[in-house]
């Protein structure tokens, strides 16, 4: 494994993680069927066919939300990134959680690309049936991207989320995990426990 000569391993890894999260979150939004298929266009990422939002506001929201996290991912402050789906009452229906852990080792772009490509393929297969809500096309869905930090960085402006929490511990369904140097990513789905 060779370290990059022209940059720190954390910087290179965080850049790849941000690109990956942007593609993965767009894939989740596309596969949930919230927007019509025409709202997305096909693109290639890591030699894989993926979707990108066509609408500039949707594309900018996803891009800016994830790219704003890059310095915090690089510093190891971001623990999880979530895509939260909810209805009018702001109580989440489901949360797709990306748990991220980066260490200080060298960046191996080739191995990372293979594992991230596998991750995206599994994501597409997983969301095609069992994890997606069959009523997604008939519901008035709302969603947001939220980051959870290990410790809060000192920044002047934060936007808080008004999303309410569940009263009981959620049901967790693992979707995919990978663990390579220097990155570990887990994706799991949280949804509310059935009412007793």
């Amino acid at each position: 494994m060779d370290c990059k000569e022209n940059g720190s391993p954390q910087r290179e890894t965080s850049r790849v993680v941000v690109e990956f999260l942007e593609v993965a979150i767009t894939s989740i939004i596309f596969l949930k069927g919230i927007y019509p298929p025409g709202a997305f266009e096909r693109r290639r990422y890591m030699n894989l066919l993926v979707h990108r939002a066509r609408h500039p506001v949707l594309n900018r929201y996803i891009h800016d939300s994830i790219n704003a996290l890059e310095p915090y991912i690089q510093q190891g402050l971001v623990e999880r990134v979530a895509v939260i789906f909810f209805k009018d009452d702001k109580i989440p229906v489901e949360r797709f959680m990306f748990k991220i852990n980066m260490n200080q080792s060298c960046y191996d772009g080739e191995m990372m690309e293979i594992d991230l490509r596998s991750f995206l393929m599994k994501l597409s297969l997983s969301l095609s049936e069992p994890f997606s809500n069959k009523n997604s096309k008939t519901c008035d869905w709302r969603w947001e991207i939220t980051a959870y930090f290990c410790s809060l960085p000192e920044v002047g402006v934060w936007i808080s989320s008004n999303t309410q929490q569940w009263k009981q511990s959620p049901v967790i369904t693992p979707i995919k995990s990978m663990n390579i140097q220097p990155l570990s990513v887990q994706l799991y789905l949280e949804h509310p426990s059935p009412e007793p």
Side-chain angles (χ1 to χ4, degrees), residues 21-30 32 34-35 58 61-62 65-66 80-86 92-99 123 127 141-148 163 166 187-191:
L21 285 173
E22 186 174 344
V23 170
I25 288 171
T26 303
S27 296
I28 290 170
I29 302 303
F30 171 77
K32 287 294 292 174
I34 294 173
Y35 300 102
L58 176 59
Y61 172 70
I62 296 169
S65 297
I66 299 304
R80 292 172 290 154
V81 176
V83 182
I84 305 172
F85 293 94
F86 52 92
V93 175
E94 55 189 12
R95 288 190 286 229
F96 287 86
M97 304 292 284
F98 291 89
K99 186 173 183 181
L123 176 64
L127 287 176
W141 288 98
R142 296 175 188 222
W143 63 278
E144 65 185 27
I145 299 170
T146 302
Y148 298 90
T163 303
W166 295 313
L187 173 61
Y188 54 93
L189 174 67
E190 293 182 347
H191 48 92

Side-chain angles (χ1 to χ4, degrees), residues 3-195:
C3 288
K4 292 263 186 195
E5 296 290 329
N6 56 356
S8 73
Q10 296 87 5
R11 181 175 300 134
E12 193 62 30
T13 303
S14 63
R15 183 190 61 76
V16 171
V17 168
V18 165
E19 287 176 0
F20 165 75
L21 285 173
E22 186 174 344
V23 170
I25 288 171
T26 303
S27 296
I28 290 170
I29 302 303
F30 171 77
L31 293 167
K32 287 294 292 174
I34 294 173
Y35 300 102
F40 297 88
E41 60 189 1
R42 292 177 173 204
R43 292 285 173 110
R44 286 220 172 264
Y45 176 72
M46 294 186 179
N47 206 21
L48 203 93
L49 190 61
V50 297
H51 291 87
R52 179 179 176 268
R54 276 188 181 168
H55 195 281
V57 175
L58 176 59
N59 188 35
R60 191 170 46 249
Y61 172 70
I62 296 169
H63 177 79
D64 291 352
S65 297
I66 299 304
N67 278 278
L69 296 174
E70 185 172 0
Y72 308 112
I73 290 172
Q74 185 177 340
Q75 295 170 31
L77 296 175
V78 176
E79 182 181 9
R80 292 172 290 154
V81 176
V83 182
I84 305 172
F85 293 94
F86 52 92
K87 295 184 184 177
D88 294 330
D89 55 7
K90 289 292 250 180
I91 297 175
V93 175
E94 55 189 12
R95 288 190 286 229
F96 287 86
M97 304 292 284
F98 291 89
K99 186 173 183 181
I100 303 165
N101 186 17
M102 285 181 21
N103 62 34
Q104 306 296 321
S105 68
C106 293
Y107 169 78
D108 183 356
E110 192 174 313
M111 278 305 299
M112 208 168 175
E113 182 175 326
I114 291 168
D115 284 354
L116 291 174
R117 186 174 36 233
S118 169
F119 202 103
L120 289 170
M121 289 171 34
K122 175 70 175 181
L123 176 64
S124 295
L125 294 172
S126 297
L127 287 176
S128 62
E129 193 56 37
F131 300 114
S132 62
N133 189 325
K134 292 178 178 35
N135 297 326
S136 63
K137 296 197 181 356
T138 60
C139 292
D140 184 24
W141 288 98
R142 296 175 188 222
W143 63 278
E144 65 185 27
I145 299 170
T146 302
Y148 298 90
F149 291 82
C150 303
S151 60
L152 283 178
E154 293 184 24
V155 177
V157 179
W158 284 100
I159 300 172
S160 65
S161 173
N162 294 327
T163 303
Q164 299 177 18
Q165 300 301 313
W166 295 313
K167 294 179 182 171
Q168 297 179 4
S169 296
V171 173
I172 296 176
T173 307
I175 297 175
K176 177 73 175 158
S177 66
M178 64 172 246
N179 191 7
I180 58 167
Q181 295 297 354
L183 177 66
S184 170
V185 179
Q186 294 178 342
L187 173 61
Y188 54 93
L189 174 67
E190 293 182 347
H191 48 92
S193 298
E195 296 289 325

